Each structure stands twice: as C-alpha cells, then as structure tokens.
Amino acid sequence: MRKILLFLGLLAIPSASWPQSEARPEILVLGTYHMANPGHDIHNMQADDVLSPKRQLEITQLIEVLKRFHPTKIAIEAEVGSQRVAQQYSDYLAGKYALSRNEIDQIGYRLARELGNRAIYPVDVDGDFPWQRVVNYAKANGVADKFEAINAGWGTMVKEQGDFLGSHTVLETLEFMNSDSRPARDMALYFALVRYGDPFDYAGSDLLAAWYQRNIRIYRNIVALIDSPSEKILVLYGSGHLGWLRQDIANDASVRLRKLADLTGQQ
C-alpha cells in the first residue's frame, strides 16, 4: 500500500519539475547598468547619455546580438502586473510613446517591438533590504572598519563598470558586466555580510535572506511565463540581481541557463 501511495504521489508532481535532457525552456538574464541614472542604489554608476547618436548606434548593435537568442518573451525589472508598463508598450507600438533613457525602454521595448512581440512582462517584486541594521551592528560591535571595506568593494565594482563604459561600447560593457567573474564577486561580498551578527542579532544573515527572498520571488514570476518547452525568456535586470537569478536557473532542472557569452562567443 505504501508503494502505491508513493507512486501516486510521484504522478502528482508537475512534469516541469523533472530534469529533461532535450527540450527545455531557456532563460537568459542580461544584467544591465541603469542607463537613466536614477540613483536608487547604495552605489550608483554614472552613465553618459544613452540618447546620444553614438550610444544609439551601440544599442542597435546590442539588439541585433540579442536577437540571436530568439526570445519568445521579454521580462523586465518593473512591478509585476504593472498596468503602466502595459500602457507604455502599447503606446510605443502605436507610435504614441517616446522612449526614455531607461534600459527597459532602450533594450526591452525596442527589442520586443522588433521581434513582433505584442506584450512585455514585468516580473519585479519589492522587498526589505535592512542595510542600516547591519551598519548599526558593525558600529556597536567595533567592526565598522571591516564592514566599510566590504561596502567599498561594491563601490569599486560600480566605479570599474563606469570607467569601462567610458572607453567601450554598450555591448562591450554588458559583456564585461555579464562575465562569470562579476556576479561571483558581487555575491561574495553579500556572503561576507553573514559574519555581521550573533545568536541574538542575525543582522547580516537576515539581510542576505531578505535579498534572496526578493530574487527567488522574481524568479517565480519569470518561470510563470513559461508556456511550452520551446520558450526562450530574456530577462533584463540590474546587474546586482544577475548572480542570484542565474543561480536560481542553474538549480532548476526544468529549465536551461543561457548567457550573453553564448551569443557573442566572448567567454
């Protein structure tokens, strides 16, 4: 009887949860910089004007490369279910919306229209980011200098990206930002925060857990877009999410991880 119940239980598991050696939906996350310089992060990269003729030609080059992936859907960093995004994209298709400097517009909307996609898909979820709690813990426990060294690590990464953009194309900059070493370095800085806490105040661990929670919820919204094994979803997100979303895809046997390097040959 126990074996029968186990067998029936296995039948109840959705087929998407099983590893598939052949046709699997593919997901490519493109980590981007914020082209409109919104200044919402702790460390913010300053980018030159993406609407300049030079950068517009480079955006065209980038879009031609992304077309090689043949995305069936494009997911963007905007609030899931956003009616504003739906209206903007509809107006853009109708010639009634002028693209802003935001990377969602410059890459997402332009690429979706050129592919003939009738919709674009917001998948973002807001979440807690208890940074000040970790700062307070570090100060209260005499390790503020060590904590600031970690914080400076993110500042260094952001400066490197800005400096790189100054002498390279948009595509080259995104290749740099999406190379395996960059998200690995970012994630290592997050894990260094785990040490900032104790059994009575898990400050660093809780920040990491909150960040992971936000990203896994975003990932849920991404995979909810999958309608068939032939689905190819391109995800446009700030590069701080890149390593976490790639990790989610890599750990999910029902989908296949793709990278920008697959399209450019730059490993």
Side-chain angles (χ1 to χ4, degrees):
M1 183 64 180
R2 182 179 178 184
K3 290 182 178 179
I4 293 173
L5 290 174
L6 177 61
F7 176 71
L8 291 174
L10 290 173
L11 288 178
I13 298 175
S15 60
S17 67
W18 291 99
Q20 300 172 37
S21 59
E22 297 181 1
R24 280 187 286 168
E26 298 180 0
I27 305 176
L28 190 159
V29 181
L30 181 68
T32 68
Y33 63 94
H34 293 307
M35 295 178 175
N37 298 311
H40 294 162
D41 299 322
I42 293 172
H43 298 282
N44 296 280
M45 174 179 154
Q46 294 301 305
D48 58 4
D49 190 359
V50 74
L51 296 184
S52 71
K54 173 181 180 292
R55 293 303 189 194
Q56 283 296 291
L57 287 173
E58 293 171 3
I59 292 291
T60 299
Q61 177 194 30
L62 170 64
I63 286 174
E64 290 304 312
V65 169
L66 295 176
K67 284 180 181 178
R68 299 172 189 170
F69 180 53
H70 305 291
T72 56
K73 292 186 175 115
I74 298 174
I76 58 172
E77 188 176 355
E79 185 180 1
V80 64
S82 170
Q83 294 303 306
R84 175 186 59 82
V85 167
Q87 187 62 56
Q88 278 184 354
Y89 185 62
S90 176
D91 288 346
Y92 176 55
L93 294 181
K96 298 187 293 183
Y97 175 75
L99 297 179
S100 74
R101 290 173 172 80
N102 192 291
E103 65 277 4
I104 290 172
D105 290 24
Q106 290 296 315
I107 304 174
Y109 288 6
R110 284 177 63 171
L111 178 59
R113 186 176 73 172
E114 292 198 24
L115 292 169
N117 294 358
R118 303 307 301 174
I120 199 159
Y121 300 89
V123 294
D124 196 33
V125 179
D126 201 4
D128 293 332
F129 195 77
W131 181 258
Q132 190 59 46
R133 182 178 160 199
V134 186
V135 173
N136 294 342
Y137 178 89
K139 290 179 178 178
N141 289 273
V143 288
D145 290 346
K146 291 182 179 179
F147 173 77
E148 280 306 315
I150 297 172
N151 188 20
W154 275 298
T156 298
M157 284 188 66
V158 170
K159 184 178 184 304
E160 288 172 355
Q161 290 168 183
D163 291 346
F164 193 92
L165 176 64
S167 57
H168 293 80
T169 67
V170 172
L171 174 59
E172 289 169 339
T173 301
L174 295 183
E175 287 178 305
F176 173 67
M177 294 173 64
N178 285 264
S179 61
D180 288 346
S181 62
R182 302 296 292 184
R185 186 171 158 191
D186 175 62
M187 293 178 75
L189 290 168
Y190 273 103
F191 275 95
L193 297 178
V194 172
R195 295 171 176 80
Y196 292 82
D198 56 47
F200 305 100
D201 182 3
Y202 292 96
S205 302
D206 288 351
L207 182 143
L208 200 64
W211 185 237
Y212 182 84
Q213 182 186 64
R214 180 182 173 193
N215 281 282
I216 198 66
R217 287 178 172 180
I218 292 166
Y219 182 63
R220 178 268 164 204
N221 293 335
I222 294 168
V223 295
L225 301 177
I226 296 172
D227 289 325
S228 76
S230 60
E231 201 84 76
K232 292 188 175 184
I233 299 177
L234 175 67
V235 182
L236 302 178
Y237 248 84
S239 60
H241 297 265
L242 178 60
W244 304 93
L245 293 176
R246 274 189 183 174
Q247 184 182 76
D248 295 335
I249 300 164
N251 289 337
D252 184 348
S254 71
V255 297
R256 189 184 304 277
L257 173 65
R258 297 292 303 277
K259 300 179 181 179
L260 179 60
D262 299 340
L263 310 182
T264 64
Q266 299 295 320
Q267 299 295 333

